[in-house]
Amino acid sequence: MTPHFKNPLAWLGTITLTILGILGNYFSIEMFFGIDFLFGSIFVFIIIYTYGFKPGLAASLLTSLVTFYLWNHFFGVFILTAECLIVYLLHRRRGLNVVILDALYWFAIGTPLIFLFYYGVIGTEVLDTTIVALKYMVNGILNCLIFSILHLIYQQYILKKARTKSFQELLFITFTSVFLIPSMFLLVYEGNKVYRSELTDIREIASVKTQMISTSLTSWESTHRASLNTLRLYIASSGNMDNHLKDLGRTLPFVQDIYVFDHRKELDYLYSEASNLPFYDVTMLKLTELHPYVTDVYFNQFTREQMTSIVVPIHENNYTGFAVATYKLKDLLIMLNRMEPHENIEVSLYDEHTLTMYDLSQLKNGQLSSDVNLSKPFIMQPAEELNTNKMKRWKQSFLAEKADIPFIPWHPFTTVKIEPYQNDLYLSYIKLFGLVLIIIGFSFFIAYWLSNMLVSSIRRLSFITDQLSASKVTSQKIRWPRTSITEVSRLIKSFETLISDFNRVMLELRNKQKKLEYFAHFDVLTNMHNRYSFSEQLEKELRLASQFDRSVAVMFCDLDRFKLINDSLGHDTGDELLKELADTIRGICGERAILCRHGGDEFLIALPANGEESIESISKRLLEEISKPISIGENEVSVTCSIGISLYPNHADTIDDLISTADIAMYSAKEKGKNTFEFFNPELNNNLARRVQIENELLKALELEEFTLHYQPQVSLATRETTGLEALIRWNNPRLGSVSPAEFIPVAEETGMIRKIGEWVIDRAANDLNQLKQAGCGNLNVAVNISIKQFYHESLPAFIMDKLHEHSIPAQQFKIEITESVVIDHFDLVLKQLQTLKEAGIAIALDDFGTGFSSLNYLKILPIDIVKIDRSFIQDILSNEQDAAIVQAVIQIAESKSLTVIAEGVETNEQAAFLHSIGCPQGQGYVFSRPQPIEEIMKQLKTKG
């Protein structure tokens, strides 16, 4: 088929594929210098087999012209164009497989032509020609195989023309690819390894030689410098000096002349090895130099030879001058070349004159280009000529390494011939190419045998099913697949009538079986795995993780406050909430996650872990999405979630241990305030042990009177007078030592001990306030923190009033502090009791204001008298404009509601002054006083009074 002018899409396809072919040749893969793998023929074959002979011929000529740029001859144009056209014509006539035809072309036609041109015309050596021929052969067969695959894709998905293809040919391509493509990777990998190994050997040889040069020249400089230093001993006696100069000149190798100049650079003494006129340019003497030095290379004006010299300043017996020994540079280079001589290694002087003798491609205007890094070994390539073969250029190249020697300003450099190592490399590549060709031949045989065996079996089955009688039941409802493979298409049509009858019988059985399997492995409500199925799936994942050294995360998720929703709104609402949350978890964790409903409101998640950062990201998304309100019927409900995370194999290596450690981490997350996540660590086991110990000791703490109350003053920011006190419980245990309230209060709340402890705090605070009253400080009030567990008992207001009455304390001098979390969990219960206390005259403070979810709303609904701004806003109030703006806004809102504001965590006078300047009336913090026992508070108040 030839594209017509009336069909612009055909021309567009031809032009696009031609451009891809040019790029496939231009961006070739160079295995080493002069040996390139080209891929342009892939697209030329697609053009020929899709759009016809003439467009393919034009495309082949255009794409193969790139080889002239790569190899500096037109042989590539001829051989590659001939490949495409001959293979195409033989395929049309004989119908053989394209890959086999291409292999035959390179064996029978391509290889002889390559030897004829490379060896006979351009004079390439047999070894070089052999590797070129093998490269062409392997490259051509590989391209033909890739073409066979891409041509199917191009026809099916680009042109949308699904043409039938022989199943046997498809199998042949598949089996051949299984063998050939890995062998090509082997060729590239092993070839690159051999190339790098040879290059490393050359570099090591150059480096060893360079090190020897450095050692030898350093020894030469130090030895001759030391000998010249001895002249200072004879400087006083001219007779002795002349004799010593002669002795020194005869004993020092390579010395040409020895001069002694005074400080006016006038010659005092001279020794010359030859009878010719000595020469030394005194301008090279440095009067300011106090140490011996080696001069740069210079030319003798009489002999035009390159020279260097060692200069030793002399300061002896009121004599100041220089001792100078001169050397021919060629003598030194001969010395260096004779050290462990090697026919492939030469030592030269690194300068522009020497470099120009090599006619290097890297030379620009007589200097090496900036692309060459002289601090490392570099390849010196001959200048590129029009008809020069790249392989020859590489054969004529050297690896050079410049020697930088301390105290010597000129630089010798080592050059190593590439040619001997190139031959070794070529022999290695010939072996690799030969191995690949053997694999190709073997793959052709195996692929042909397997494909023929499989297709013959399928063809026979197709003929047998053609003889089956059609069923009375039609299969119109079944959407049978369509395929471009001829044999399989016939097989599908033969089975259509058979499967329609069978399906009718088996459908009901399958449905029942699926339901049974579903109920055995999944939770019906959430469509997640049950515990048994989760363990099965997780066991498979752990085996894979162990095999491939991967990590797996198990996340234990427990919903906070779900029981409250279930009890208050009903189980139907709870079930709908679980469904919504299950979909949320599924959407966040993705398809690779194993999800399980572990209990009523508990979920297990197992997923591959690419480090803790990825699991942290998923955990944060889970917390964020789960906490969003969800509309269920007429209700809008919201819950939070606590997540514990255990990593395999870091934290545990069995399913039970992973779940157990994740469970421990989850409880740690709950202790930290819920709605957060926690990774398991061994300290959590220690924390659990300490928690059990705290729980045991708490049971006896009240009876043994281990609790005390400390008080922190609340101060007027205007007058710095104490306006009130906050009661803070402290626990000092003989076995545990001082235990922080942050540790034992959560334990007390979970065990129910908080009620008795809270009642003790109320009673003791009222008693201490009575002591203050008797001590003359009767105008102060005391604030006590109330836990949510205390509100569970409706007798709380009555108990507080009884204790105030017992200790003769007016209700106006007693305050309670609650946090927003107390209100959120049980709003109706808390609100009723707060109103009762408010009516009795007890002031109510909202603690940690600004850290919850609905602070402003609570100011309107709750009977609040005092707002305590959380310390997190005060800490950076002087440097953080946003914190300052929030605090100022809270003060203004509180003033509009006639509420008192107390700033917590005030730690500096500057903070106190700033808060006062923006209208905050009271503050509390270390700048005023730390929490102290009631006795110390009394002393402070009396001192101020």
Side-chain angles (χ1 to χ4, degrees), residues 885-900:
I886 292 173
V887 171
Q888 193 166 8
V890 171
I891 293 170
Q892 292 173 355
I893 293 171
E895 287 178 352
S896 67
K897 300 284 186 182
S898 300
L899 303 177
T900 301

Side-chain angles (χ1 to χ4, degrees), residues 35 39 49 57 70 81 84 232 296 310 341 365 509 542 556 561 649 651 655 795 855 900:
I35 299 297
F39 301 98
Y49 279 86
L57 175 60
L70 295 173
T81 302
C84 296
R232 67 178 65 243
D296 208 339
I310 298 178
N365 299 323
L509 289 175
L542 294 182
F556 198 114
R561 301 176 56 251
H651 301 149
I655 294 175
S795 61
S855 300
T900 301

Side-chain angles (χ1 to χ4, degrees), residues 252-541:
L252 291 178
F254 309 118
V255 169
Q256 294 299 305
D257 305 309
I258 301 177
Y259 305 87
V260 177
F261 296 96
D262 62 13
H263 66 281
R264 295 184 298 274
K265 299 183 180 180
E266 293 181 358
L267 182 64
D268 285 344
Y269 304 99
L270 168 65
Y271 164 79
S272 180
E273 179 191 35
S275 59
N276 58 338
L277 290 176
F279 165 78
Y280 190 76
D281 185 0
V282 295
T283 59
M284 291 188 293
L285 297 176
K286 303 175 183 178
L287 296 176
T288 58
E289 186 67 54
L290 300 178
H291 302 284
Y293 60 92
V294 179
T295 67
D296 208 339
V297 176
Y298 61 92
F299 284 94
N300 189 310
Q301 291 183 359
F302 300 105
T303 63
R304 301 306 300 168
E305 291 180 305
Q306 290 181 309
M307 307 287 290
T308 187
S309 58
I310 298 178
V311 180
V312 177
I314 299 175
H315 302 279
E316 190 74 23
N317 295 333
N318 299 321
Y319 184 88
T320 301
F322 304 90
V324 180
T326 64
Y327 307 84
K328 290 181 181 180
L329 198 65
K330 68 177 183 180
D331 293 340
L332 297 178
L333 293 177
I334 289 172
M335 172 193 72
L336 298 176
N337 278 304
R338 287 176 178 171
M339 292 187 305
E340 295 190 17
H342 196 289
E343 61 180 357
N344 298 323
I345 303 176
E346 183 179 356
V347 180
S348 306
L349 176 66
Y350 177 81
D351 63 0
E352 296 178 7
H353 173 73
T354 306
L355 290 175
T356 54
M357 296 172 61
Y358 285 94
D359 190 22
L360 303 179
S361 61
Q362 298 101 323
L363 283 177
K364 295 180 181 178
N365 299 323
Q367 295 183 344
L368 283 178
S369 66
S370 59
D371 297 335
V372 178
N373 185 0
L374 295 177
S375 62
K376 299 179 180 178
F378 62 96
I379 300 294
M380 297 170 57
Q381 300 172 4
E384 186 172 1
E385 298 177 2
L386 182 61
N387 296 320
T388 302
N389 184 279
K390 279 192 173 183
M391 299 172 72
K392 284 186 177 180
R393 286 183 59 215
W394 196 41
K395 191 182 293 287
Q396 297 166 3
S397 298
F398 298 85
L399 183 133
E401 182 172 1
K402 188 178 72 167
D404 293 319
I405 306 168
F407 312 115
I408 296 180
W410 40 272
H411 305 281
F413 75 112
T414 305
T415 56
V416 183
K417 291 181 180 180
I418 297 292
E419 181 177 0
Y421 305 94
Q422 182 197 36
N423 293 336
D424 294 341
L425 178 64
Y426 281 3
L427 287 172
S428 299
Y429 262 100
I430 287 174
K431 293 177 184 177
L432 287 173
F433 278 123
L435 176 62
V436 171
L437 288 175
I438 292 172
I439 294 174
I440 290 173
F442 178 75
S443 67
F444 282 176
F445 173 77
I446 294 296
Y448 182 79
W449 177 71
L450 287 175
S451 60
N452 185 63
M453 181 183 65
L454 291 174
V455 170
S456 63
S457 300
I458 294 174
R459 189 183 298 115
R460 184 179 175 188
L461 179 60
S462 177
F463 288 134
I464 291 174
T465 54
D466 279 341
Q467 306 303 317
L468 296 175
S469 61
S471 173
K472 296 180 181 179
V473 182
T474 63
S475 58
Q476 295 176 354
K477 294 182 179 179
I478 299 175
R479 298 183 61 185
W480 292 93
R482 295 292 176 259
T483 178
S484 60
I485 303 175
T486 306
E487 292 84 359
V488 176
S489 180
R490 293 182 62 190
L491 184 63
I492 291 173
K493 289 190 177 294
S494 299
F495 269 98
E496 272 188 74
T497 54
L498 180 64
I499 298 301
S500 60
D501 290 338
F502 185 76
N503 269 347
R504 202 165 41 79
V505 177
M506 295 299 297
L507 182 60
E508 184 176 356
L509 289 175
R510 271 198 225 99
N511 290 337
K512 290 181 179 179
Q513 184 180 4
K514 286 181 180 179
K515 286 183 179 179
L516 289 174
E517 289 180 354
Y518 180 82
F519 291 145
H521 293 85
F522 290 87
D523 174 64
V524 179
L525 181 64
T526 60
N527 197 27
M528 290 181 173
H529 292 280
N530 58 22
R531 296 184 187 181
Y532 172 76
S533 179
F534 177 81
S535 297
E536 281 187 331
Q537 298 300 318
L538 181 55
E539 185 177 8
K540 295 177 184 177
E541 187 67 22

Side-chain angles (χ1 to χ4, degrees), residues 78-99:
F78 169 74
I79 197 75
L80 294 177
T81 302
E83 175 199 13
C84 296
L85 300 183
I86 291 174
V87 170
Y88 172 69
L89 294 174
L90 288 174
H91 182 255
R92 289 193 63 183
R93 289 192 177 188
R94 300 293 181 183
L96 294 175
N97 184 275
V98 177
V99 182

Side-chain angles (χ1 to χ4, degrees), residues 647-661:
L647 296 177
Y648 169 89
N650 298 357
H651 301 149
D653 54 8
T654 66
I655 294 175
D656 291 338
D657 289 344
L658 282 168
I659 296 174
S660 175
T661 51

